[in-house]
Amino acid sequence: MPKHIPHRRPRLPDRSWLAGAVALALAGPAFAQSTPTVEELARRLQALEARYGAATSVDGQETLDLQALDQRLRALERNLELQEEARAAKEKAAPVAAVNDRGASFRSGDGAYEVKIRGLLQGDGRFFNSGAPGANDSFLLRTARPTIEGTLGKWVGFRFTPEFAGDSASIVDAYADLQFSPAATLRVGKFTSPVGLERLQSSASLPEIERALASELLPNRDLGVQLQGELAGGKVSYAIGVFNGAVDGRDATTTNPDDEFEYAGRLFFEPLKGSDSFWAGLGFGIGASIGDVEGAGNNFLPRYRTPGQQQFFAYRGTVAAAGQRKRWSPQGYFYRGPFGLLAEYASSSQELGAGGTTADLETTAWQATASWVLTGEDASYRGVKPARAFAPGKGGWGAWELVARYGRLEVDEAAFPVFADPAVSAREASAWVAGVNWYLNNNLKLVLNYLQTGFEGGAAGGADREDEKAVFTRLQAAF
């Protein structure tokens, strides 16, 4: 009989060589493609087990040792996990740079540090039909403001905005915020005083080219310290601060010229903010300031201008501020879909002295601005964002908005003739503005305004000053 020869499995290579080959079989594709997942490695191991079974030796030759391969596989899995953790940590720590319609930003990987670069350019054309002798037709660079702002860690924010339009450079905003929480932020530096609603609105978001008569009575930017915050999920906001004190409608000087401080605050409510109510876009509140003022000249006494930026009232040169200055301003807005309405009242009273005569005079003003976005986008306090940017041949025409405003300013009758000259300064001004805004995209805006202001007094012999009529245009680039 022929000798029985038992069936034998194929002889496998030496263990060390085979283990290396299996490891390469499991991980090799990573060199050509990408690091394999744990699931992929398990699938390959199962394929090897199905092929070689659980044999341990043939004629004294070692075969595939699954236990050893399992240990090697686990070590490889851990190495891959460590590599993935290292990659994720590296990505998290890497700084992030971005450029979009809101400017450029540079942020640390953990988000604690960030610097944003923004800018605002406004070029105007002014064309007068009638008005003051100095109302000349002209083109001008109205605003040229780069802005650097950001955060320095968890607690500190900052903003710096110089102004390069005009005859000399100046600083518009320069402040730091200590951000304890959304409910409490301490701001120190130069920024807009928290009194006027329109004054607090960015010039890039104004529906008209120039601000209303009511804003002529309220302080603009001042130097000081302010506590501010939002409560109840942003439905209530507040601000209260101590400042050097600014003249009506103007910025404060770089120093405190009379060694007196002004105290200002504001409380604003948006009770249905974020809801589906018809009144979700309603906001209302009040701002006020009080402080002593002692001194004469432009740093202490106001001069009032029309929306056409022409002066129509000033005190006599012999007049000085001689006591308390008080301001208050009830204010509000309502935005619903494409409709917007903003209204504001302002009162400014000042104790004055002239040649031994003293008086406490009050000037008042109010304004109402209505807007309608023809293309259907939402109107808002922060401006209009077009749904489709202007793109010739592609059906995009940006957003179009109609605006109208009426306002009135009245000077205290007791100001004449001792404190103000009735042949030069008007007792009252009434102004209306109508215009159209074209938002080509989120950054570019074209504006056309017609302005007309009528006066009571302000001319020789007690006659009324000639009405001011003008057309203003603007090209604005903001990012």
Side-chain angles (χ1 to χ4, degrees), residues 124-209:
D124 292 0
R126 297 178 176 177
F127 310 98
F128 292 88
N129 184 44
S130 60
N136 299 323
D137 297 348
S138 63
F139 296 103
L140 71 154
L141 182 60
R142 184 70 170 86
T143 303
R145 298 176 184 174
T147 293
I148 301 175
E149 62 183 3
T151 56
L152 303 174
K154 180 180 179 180
W155 302 102
V156 180
F158 70 92
R159 180 184 177 98
F160 177 71
T161 303
E163 173 65 85
F164 294 112
D167 297 330
S168 60
S170 61
I171 296 177
V172 177
D173 290 317
Y175 61 78
D177 288 340
L178 188 56
Q179 302 166 343
F180 300 105
S181 73
T185 295
L186 188 66
R187 177 168 292 180
V188 181
K190 183 178 181 181
F191 49 91
T192 303
S193 181
V195 181
L197 180 61
E198 190 189 50
R199 278 291 176 197
L200 289 167
Q201 190 174 25
S202 167
S203 62
S205 302
L206 290 174
E208 292 90 6
I209 290 177

Side-chain angles (χ1 to χ4, degrees), residues 186-319:
L186 188 66
R187 177 168 292 180
V188 181
K190 183 178 181 181
F191 49 91
T192 303
S193 181
V195 181
L197 180 61
E198 190 189 50
R199 278 291 176 197
L200 289 167
Q201 190 174 25
S202 167
S203 62
S205 302
L206 290 174
E208 292 90 6
I209 290 177
E210 299 293 348
R211 299 182 193 271
L213 288 170
S215 291
E216 285 293 297
L217 305 187
L218 303 175
N220 195 20
R221 288 175 171 84
D222 208 341
L223 285 86
V225 56
Q226 172 177 288
L227 181 66
Q228 63 186 44
E230 294 184 347
L231 308 171
K235 295 178 180 180
V236 179
S237 60
Y238 74 93
I240 184 169
V242 183
F243 302 89
N244 282 348
V247 177
D248 290 359
R250 303 292 185 273
D251 291 351
T253 59
T254 56
T255 60
N256 189 355
D258 61 355
D259 197 31
E260 299 285 353
F261 289 115
E262 186 166 80
Y263 305 89
R266 178 173 181 261
L267 190 60
F268 201 78
F269 302 90
E270 297 174 273
L272 299 174
K273 181 178 180 180
S275 72
D276 296 330
S277 170
F278 178 87
W279 301 101
L282 175 67
F284 56 90
I286 188 169
S289 68
I290 188 170
D292 290 335
V293 183
E294 303 282 346
N298 294 334
N299 290 335
F300 302 91
L301 295 175
R303 297 164 292 163
Y304 300 133
R305 299 172 300 183
T306 68
Q309 301 302 288
Q310 302 304 307
Q311 180 177 303
F312 70 91
F313 176 87
Y315 289 104
R316 294 180 184 270
T318 56
V319 178

Side-chain angles (χ1 to χ4, degrees), residues 128-132 135 466-470:
F128 292 88
N129 184 44
S130 60
E466 181 184 5
D467 287 358
E468 178 186 275
K469 302 175 183 178

Side-chain angles (χ1 to χ4, degrees), residues 88-100:
K90 184 177 180 180
E91 288 185 357
K92 184 177 181 180
V96 178
V99 178
N100 52 40

